[in-house]
Amino acid sequence: MEQKEDNLKDIISHAKEYGFVFPSSEIYDGLSATYDYGQLGSELKNNIKSYWWKAMVQMHENIVGIDAAIFMHPNTWKASGHVDAFNDPLIDNKDSKKRYRADVLIEEHMEKYRNKIKKDVEKGKKRFGDDFDEEQFLATNPNVLRNQAKIEDIENRMRETLGNGDLEGVYNLIMDLGIVCPISGSKNWTEVRQFNLMFSTELGSVAGDASKIYLRPETAQGIFVNFLNVQKTGRMKVPFGIAQIGKAFRNEIIARQFIFRMREFEQMEMQFFVRPGEEMKWYEYWKEQRIHWHKKLGLGEDNYRFHDHIQLAHYANAAADIEFNFPMGFKELEGIHSRTDFDLKQHEEHSGKKLQYFDPELNENYVPFVIETSIGLDRMFLAVLSSSYKMEDLGEGKQRAVLSLPPALAPYKVAVMPLTKKDGLPEKAREIMDTLKFDFNCIYDEKGAAGRRYRIQDAMGTPYCIMVDHQSLEDNTVTIRDRDTMEQERVAIDQLAQIIGEKVSMTTLLK
Ligand code: ATP
């Protein structure tokens, strides 16, 4: 675990050093949980967006995309339930003045017992070697059973208290478990309060409640309120989907772990409208489609797992997360939710407008059911970056930092370099770049030794480097170097576009 956390530190500094991610307004010492994407980061982000948009919209005849405003009529958030229930329980430590999410404090306390069990299992494995029967050990070892009982007891009390909005009960649970503040080490806690995660602001210059509006905490509602507009103008037939990529804002109580949890972030969401009663079929379909989209990238099959929700939100009849093995361990990357007809019905009630579909095959009107796929773009960025970052040993005490990004997502596809700055080599290199730049994002570099220039491109994740040397002037060939194998091959200049195109094309990912 420690090594993985160190890994996160390395990734954060690599991201900054090469212009992927900067702390926001850094010259003023930054703003917590807010980040800026730099020159390479915004390219990588755009490529992830493009992969998602193409896979969802371009590859599905019955899915279209929209771009709704961040500001919405305030009643939207009453209807969606966010005004009343988009809360996290928070608690302050009076000595350190630090604020925590009460549920996270309890979860982390429980994690300690889980780790104790893990350690006991490891000890058992060491002691008994091949004879070790893990299943039997877990079912019979007294230490394990004791810790397991503690976990179950806490889970039950969490359900009883947090599940029912019993904040005093949550406070009592924290006290009973003897949870201390990680900073001050004290149990001097305030009471537990509900904290609404929506940011609000004022519209125009009129004072009073009527002018209070919110920054959207999710993009989904922009889709629901446009359901009829899109269905009618696009002549969409159920089942159909509406996709959207856009910013969302949440005043997260604890926002750490780099771009994993931010206060301003981006979501890529798709709402799929289906016939009532057919939602489970489509839920399974989208679970399968989405995991396929992830695995195609080649970030490692073992880095993904499904986590089915046992406790469902009041509007959902099935929900699962796709978890990714981040440097901090397995955590939610994407959610797939069967949201029933909850949202459209709520909007019907609050707006007084009918949000129904006339199904010509059934000859009836109904409010469609919805399957949602919702992924955080920034979390996806972190998944791609963290699983691609490697320090590779090259022997003889040498190392290289390499980002083995999926080529289709790499910010630059190719770096064009003249071996020296004279003899007409820069001109030849620029000529090559001028033909490639229409199809590929290219970067030109003529500064420093060739080996060092290669290292920089490795660290930026550029799949190919092209070196123009004296022979190039004679026979129109160059060497092309592969980022991952570091092998160089001499090829004709007029073959370059095809060679690069095959490797970096998004088409292979989409097929
Ligand atoms: P978590 O449990 O981690 O707070 P959530 O269950 O509240 O997430 P959803 O409301 O389902 O998340 O949002 C859908 C997706 O949006 C998440 O899977 C995640 O990828 C992304 N997301 C949510 N909150 C944040 C955040 N604060 N920063 C970055 N991405 C986020």
Side-chain angles (χ1 to χ4, degrees):
M1 190 64 189
E2 240 164 54
Q3 198 194 341
K4 286 203 103 186
E5 303 249 308
D6 282 348
N7 195 15
L8 181 62
K9 279 192 204 140
D10 292 345
I11 290 160
I12 295 171
S13 61
H14 190 90
K16 189 174 161 201
E17 188 178 346
Y18 289 93
F20 283 91
V21 183
F22 306 124
S24 155
S25 31
E26 198 189 5
I27 57 169
Y28 295 104
D29 297 333
L31 179 68
S32 77
T34 322
Y35 291 89
D36 296 341
Y37 288 86
Q39 66 280 14
L40 291 193
S42 50
E43 294 285 350
L44 173 55
K45 206 174 169 200
N46 279 340
N47 292 339
I48 296 172
K49 279 193 217 178
S50 169
Y51 176 42
W52 186 85
W53 191 268
K54 285 189 167 149
M56 301 303 268
V57 178
Q58 200 171 321
M59 294 296 116
H60 289 96
E61 258 177 61
N62 55 347
I63 299 182
V64 290
I66 63 164
D67 185 9
I70 288 171
F71 290 144
M72 300 182 73
H73 192 287
N75 286 352
T76 309
W77 306 110
K78 287 216 177 84
S80 68
H82 283 82
V83 172
D84 294 325
F86 195 50
N87 299 321
D88 275 344
L90 70 82
I91 188 166
D92 293 285
N93 185 268
K94 291 182 196 162
D95 297 319
S96 68
K97 308 268 184 286
K98 288 277 170 206
R99 178 163 288 179
Y100 299 91
R101 252 170 73 176
D103 56 325
V104 172
L105 280 180
I106 301 168
E107 285 279 354
E108 281 174 0
H109 186 81
M110 241 178 347
E111 196 64 23
K112 285 187 191 153
Y113 295 116
R114 291 202 185 100
N115 286 337
K116 278 187 187 166
I117 295 177
K118 253 189 235 158
K119 272 202 185 130
D120 281 336
V121 169
E122 272 158 29
K123 264 195 224 155
K125 271 185 190 156
K126 258 197 202 143
R127 200 160 142 214
F128 297 108
D130 287 346
D131 294 335
F132 183 67
D133 182 342
E134 187 170 330
E135 215 168 290
Q136 196 196 353
F137 182 80
L138 287 174
T140 54
N141 180 280
N143 277 345
V144 170
L145 292 179
R146 203 170 37 245
N147 286 322
Q148 193 53 44
K150 280 185 187 154
I151 293 171
E152 277 162 26
D153 182 45
I154 300 171
E155 275 176 347
N156 286 337
R157 284 188 66 185
M158 271 181 94
R159 249 193 297 271
E160 279 164 25
T161 55
L162 276 165
N164 294 323
D166 169 12
L167 299 180
E168 205 181 318
V170 179
Y171 173 84
N172 289 338
L173 178 55
I174 288 176
M175 295 308 271
D176 291 351
L177 294 174
I179 295 178
V180 298
C181 164
I183 309 277
S184 68
S186 87
K187 289 181 218 160
N188 197 6
W189 295 109
T190 62
E191 59 185 5
V192 180
R193 280 169 295 151
Q194 290 289 20
F195 178 76
N196 192 289
L197 298 183
M198 279 199 294
F199 283 101
S200 66
T201 185
E202 303 274 314
L203 187 70
S205 56
V206 192
D209 238 358
S211 60
K212 183 173 175 179
I213 56 165
Y214 299 97
L215 296 185
R216 67 180 177 200
E218 61 174 32
T219 57
Q221 299 304 324
I223 294 178
F224 289 124
V225 299
N226 279 298
F227 160 72
L228 263 197
N229 282 339
V230 174
Q231 191 274 318
K232 291 228 150 79
T233 57
R235 292 176 296 146
M236 308 302 291
K237 272 187 165 160
V238 164
F240 74 92
I242 306 178
Q244 172 164 228
I245 300 177
K247 290 261 177 164
F249 304 81
R250 295 182 188 179
N251 200 0
E252 300 278 2
I253 297 171
I254 38 159
R256 325 186 215 111
Q257 297 170 328
F258 195 36
I259 53 174
F260 180 82
R261 188 178 298 287
M262 298 198 286
R263 298 207 166 98
E264 172 181 344
F265 58 101
E266 231 167 316
Q267 288 185 316
M268 306 192 285
E269 296 197 299
M270 194 275 302
Q271 315 289 326
F272 200 69
F273 300 93
V274 305
R275 269 186 196 160
E278 291 190 355
E279 68 274 14
M280 286 331 268
K281 177 179 92 183
W282 289 109
Y283 172 68
E284 292 304 329
Y285 171 85
W286 281 109
K287 271 176 77 174
E288 199 270 318
Q289 285 274 312
R290 294 304 304 146
I291 196 75
H292 181 70
W293 180 90
H294 285 284
K295 290 193 172 168
K296 269 283 204 172
L297 280 175
L299 305 181
E301 302 248 327
D302 295 343
N303 282 330
Y304 300 91
R305 70 179 189 202
F306 273 113
H307 167 77
D308 292 311
H309 290 205
I310 303 164
Q311 242 190 323
L312 293 169
H314 57 283
Y315 52 80
N317 63 3
D321 296 335
I322 294 178
E323 294 185 338
F324 187 78
N325 191 9
F326 287 101
M328 315 78 77
F330 274 96
K331 301 236 180 250
E332 173 177 343
L333 169 61
E334 170 160 5
I336 296 140
H337 312 125
S338 175
R339 296 179 71 119
T340 67
D341 54 2
F342 173 81
D343 302 87
L344 289 180
K345 280 226 167 112
Q346 283 291 106
H347 286 303
E348 278 199 325
E349 203 175 289
H350 282 77
S351 68
K353 307 270 162 33
K354 266 205 154 71
L355 297 177
Q356 302 194 352
Y357 171 76
F358 176 74
D359 194 322
E361 279 167 38
L362 300 180
N363 202 23
E364 68 180 65
N365 277 306
Y366 53 77
V367 176
F369 272 45
V370 171
I371 306 300
E372 161 183 85
T373 72
S374 173
I375 175 171
L377 174 53
D378 313 271
R379 283 193 192 175
M380 187 60 199
F381 187 106
L382 183 59
V384 171
L385 193 70
S386 61
S387 57
S388 300
Y389 173 79
K390 286 177 205 99
M391 276 310 277
E392 256 179 28
D393 232 326
L394 301 175
E396 298 169 6
K398 282 193 203 144
Q399 277 192 321
R400 70 161 181 164
V402 57
L403 276 186
S404 50
L405 298 171
L409 301 186
Y412 288 110
K413 307 305 184 201
V414 56
V416 185
M417 311 171 171
L419 186 62
T420 66
K421 275 198 250 182
K422 43 185 206 278
D423 304 334
L425 299 186
E427 289 75 8
K428 186 77 182 166
R430 293 244 180 243
E431 210 180 279
I432 293 172
M433 186 143 156
D434 281 343
T435 60
L436 293 178
K437 72 182 178 193
F438 295 96
D439 293 314
F440 311 108
N441 201 15
C442 307
I443 182 168
Y444 179 82
D445 188 8
E446 58 177 24
K447 259 186 253 135
R452 201 181 121 62
R453 281 185 268 163
Y454 286 150
R455 287 290 166 276
I456 293 172
Q457 295 305 322
D458 290 344
M460 288 164 52
T462 311
Y464 282 126
C465 290
I466 290 168
M467 187 61 79
V468 177
D469 54 18
H470 292 89
Q471 191 182 331
S472 310
L473 301 178
E474 285 159 26
D475 64 1
N476 269 323
T477 62
V478 288
T479 61
I480 182 164
R481 174 185 177 275
D482 183 289
R483 173 195 69 198
D484 301 322
T485 63
M486 292 187 282
E487 270 166 24
Q488 298 177 38
E489 204 188 334
R490 187 163 278 280
V491 301
I493 290 171
D494 58 16
Q495 282 185 332
L496 284 174
Q498 194 200 342
I499 296 172
I500 301 164
E502 267 167 26
K503 174 128 172 178
V504 308
S505 142
M506 213 168 261
T507 311
T508 24
L509 288 183
L510 294 169
K511 267 186 181 156

